[in-house]
Amino acid sequence: MSTTLSPDGQAILLLTAPLMAGRMELSADLLTLGEYGCLAVFLHEVQRGPGDLLTVDADSLIRQCQEIVDGDRLRQLLGRGFLLSQAVDRWQARAIWVVTSADTSYPQRLKERLKDNAPAVLYGCGDATILETGGLAVVGSRNATPALQTYTEHIGQLAAHAQQTVVSGGARGIDQASMRGALEAGGTAVGMFADSLEQAALYREYRSPLMEGRLVLVSPYDPMAGFNVGNAMQRNKLIYALADAALVISSDYQKGGTWAGAVEQLTKLRLVPVFVRSCGDIGKGIQELQNMGALPWPNPSNPAELVRTLRLEQDPTTTTHNEEVVPTHAHQSMAEPPIAMQTKPAPTKRRARPAKPAGIIAEPTLFDSTPEAITPKKRAATAHKKTEGKTDGEEGEADHADD
């Protein structure tokens, strides 16, 4: 990812980004996503771009924009050039890149699926090309039981062996379990953070996969931004938009980010098929999501089956989440989650990466049965030490939303 900002990129950051370099409070009266969208449409209609607001003759253009955004407000925001340079220096020192909707490197999946709701700015650390690979979105509560976390790790391992990216929210609990399972098995992962991206980029467990090009951490919010409930809710759609299908491991009923994000997908956005866990005690939240049209997770037992599951919406003979589905209590008869993946990975168009062994699993599964051992494979460059997201010199981890 290039660290050079185009004039359009600079203008978008000045108009919409808080630029928190060395400070935690928000600065100036930033344009909302809707306000910037209206401004961008107007600029396009007059055959101009955001970068034209930074030229020497920008005053006349700003006057033309007066009916869209107050001219004095635009001038105040565009006058934050020194603050922008400080922020860019800070991001570059921490290997954080920034891309705006005006850049060709902006993820096409977000533009095509979210259109006007795509964030104007994305911050990230790691290989940005992973954002275009699709894969499986895995979401659930951060207050998950150890059994559910183990179950989720197995899902991440299977995705890795199928060479399918795991997309999640980076919060502790289900999110981190899915990413951990994928990364420790040599796969790729996307962490879509709602806050504290700068801190997350320093986690020891992420260091090796970031350097190896198997992980990208990304956020639509300033890298220094703290937790905000609204931000946590809004970023849910980005997780779904980057994936080919989604799996809800656990959810409270009518509350929490996981519930809100899944309901939004099932009733409004309908970007991808939404599956729900079909094994064990699924709880009222999962059952109600299934009643809304979510599909019971078919518990694929090998990489090829997982790939077919993720391509569900491309199969005209298969009922999708947009069609009426008769709810079933599938958890009473579904098989256990896969934990033995001895089959070779399914072919993929993405660049091949050597798979790391997930190790011999001796822990009980969600159903207290004895899992089979995963066949060891040749180990990639660096082994990953299992941590709880700690940075150097820290003993705790960032507390994220209940997703």
Side-chain angles (χ1 to χ4, degrees):
M1 179 71 68
S2 174
T3 57
T4 303
L5 288 172
S6 66
D8 284 344
Q10 293 177 43
I12 293 173
L13 283 164
L14 290 170
L15 294 171
T16 66
L19 307 177
M20 291 182 173
R23 51 200 259 168
M24 297 303 293
E25 73 275 9
L26 297 179
S27 62
D29 186 11
L30 303 175
L31 299 189
T32 65
L33 180 59
E35 288 175 326
Y36 172 73
C38 293
L39 178 63
V41 169
F42 174 79
L43 291 173
H44 179 73
E45 290 175 347
V46 297
Q47 299 183 336
R48 307 295 289 272
D52 292 319
L53 294 169
L54 299 176
T55 60
V56 292
D57 60 344
D59 276 347
S60 61
L61 180 58
I62 291 176
R63 285 195 293 271
Q64 293 180 57
C65 299
Q66 183 72 34
E67 294 184 3
I68 309 299
V69 181
D70 179 74
D72 290 337
R73 183 182 176 195
L74 283 180
R75 292 185 183 89
Q76 179 186 11
L77 291 169
L78 295 169
R80 300 185 301 152
F82 179 69
L83 188 59
L84 174 61
S85 66
Q86 285 184 308
V88 170
D89 288 344
R90 182 181 181 91
W91 300 334
Q92 291 180 346
R94 290 157 177 77
I96 292 175
W97 45 258
V98 59
V99 62
T100 70
S101 56
D103 299 320
T104 57
S105 54
Y106 188 91
Q108 291 302 305
R109 280 176 171 262
L110 296 184
K111 276 189 174 182
E112 293 171 1
R113 291 182 166 185
L114 298 180
K115 297 180 173 56
D116 292 341
N117 287 321
V121 179
L122 282 178
Y123 308 88
C125 182
D127 186 355
T129 63
I130 300 175
L131 298 174
E132 301 287 8
T133 61
L136 177 65
V138 182
V139 296
S141 173
R142 65 184 177 120
N143 298 315
T145 64
L148 270 183
Q149 293 191 50
T150 298
Y151 172 91
T152 306
E153 287 186 15
H154 293 326
I155 299 294
Q157 291 168 10
L158 180 59
H161 282 257
Q163 294 190 330
Q164 299 297 310
T165 298
V166 166
V167 185
S168 202
R172 62 184 174 90
I174 294 302
D175 289 5
Q176 288 187 4
S178 65
M179 294 170 63
R180 182 166 57 247
L183 294 173
E184 291 187 350
T188 56
V190 174
M192 178 61 72
F193 282 76
D195 63 277
S196 309
L197 176 66
E198 182 178 296
Q199 182 180 358
L202 300 177
Y203 288 176
R204 285 197 297 271
E205 71 173 294
Y206 294 155
R207 188 170 302 156
S208 292
L210 281 170
M211 293 191 302
E212 293 167 3
R214 298 188 297 109
L215 172 65
V216 60
L217 308 177
V218 64
S219 177
Y221 308 110
D222 191 280
M224 290 181 65
F227 172 71
N228 176 284
V229 174
N231 290 351
M233 294 290 188
Q234 288 298 316
R235 75 81 149 78
N236 286 331
K237 62 172 64 71
L238 305 183
I239 297 173
Y240 287 87
L242 288 174
D244 296 316
L247 170 60
V248 181
I249 299 291
S250 60
S251 174
D252 290 329
Y253 175 58
Q254 293 188 340
K255 66 177 182 179
T258 301
W259 171 267
V263 169
E264 181 182 45
Q265 291 302 311
L266 292 167
T267 62
K268 181 180 178 182
L269 297 179
R270 298 183 173 90
L271 300 175
V272 296
V274 178
F275 293 90
V276 290
R277 178 170 54 86
S278 57
C279 303
D281 181 11
I282 62 174
K284 186 175 182 180
I286 293 294
Q287 184 61 63
E288 289 302 318
L289 290 176
Q290 192 171 330
N291 292 340
M292 292 182 189
L295 305 173
W297 181 243
N299 295 296
S301 60
N302 58 63
E305 289 183 3
L306 177 64
V307 171
R308 286 195 295 270
T309 300
L310 298 189
R311 302 297 181 265
L312 174 67
E313 62 181 352
Q314 300 177 10
D315 184 353
T317 66
T318 305
T319 301
T320 70
H321 66 300
N322 289 326
E323 300 173 353
E324 186 174 353
V325 178
V326 178
T328 61
H329 297 276
H331 64 287
Q332 296 177 356
S333 58
M334 284 286 181
E336 294 184 13
I339 40 69
M341 295 164 282
Q342 300 175 352
T343 307
K344 292 183 180 180
T348 178
K349 293 182 180 180
R350 289 195 288 112
R351 60 185 185 276
R353 298 186 177 93
K356 293 189 177 183
I360 305 302
I361 301 179
E363 298 175 290
T365 67
L366 187 60
F367 310 97
D368 296 323
S369 62
T370 303
E372 302 174 27
I374 295 176
T375 301
K377 297 187 178 183
K378 186 176 179 181
R379 184 171 293 274
T382 307
H384 304 299
K385 181 179 179 182
K386 213 169 167 184
T387 71
E388 291 299 325
K390 298 177 183 177
T391 61
D392 290 332
E394 294 184 354
E395 294 300 327
E397 62 177 16
D399 198 16
H400 297 287
D402 185 3
D403 297 329

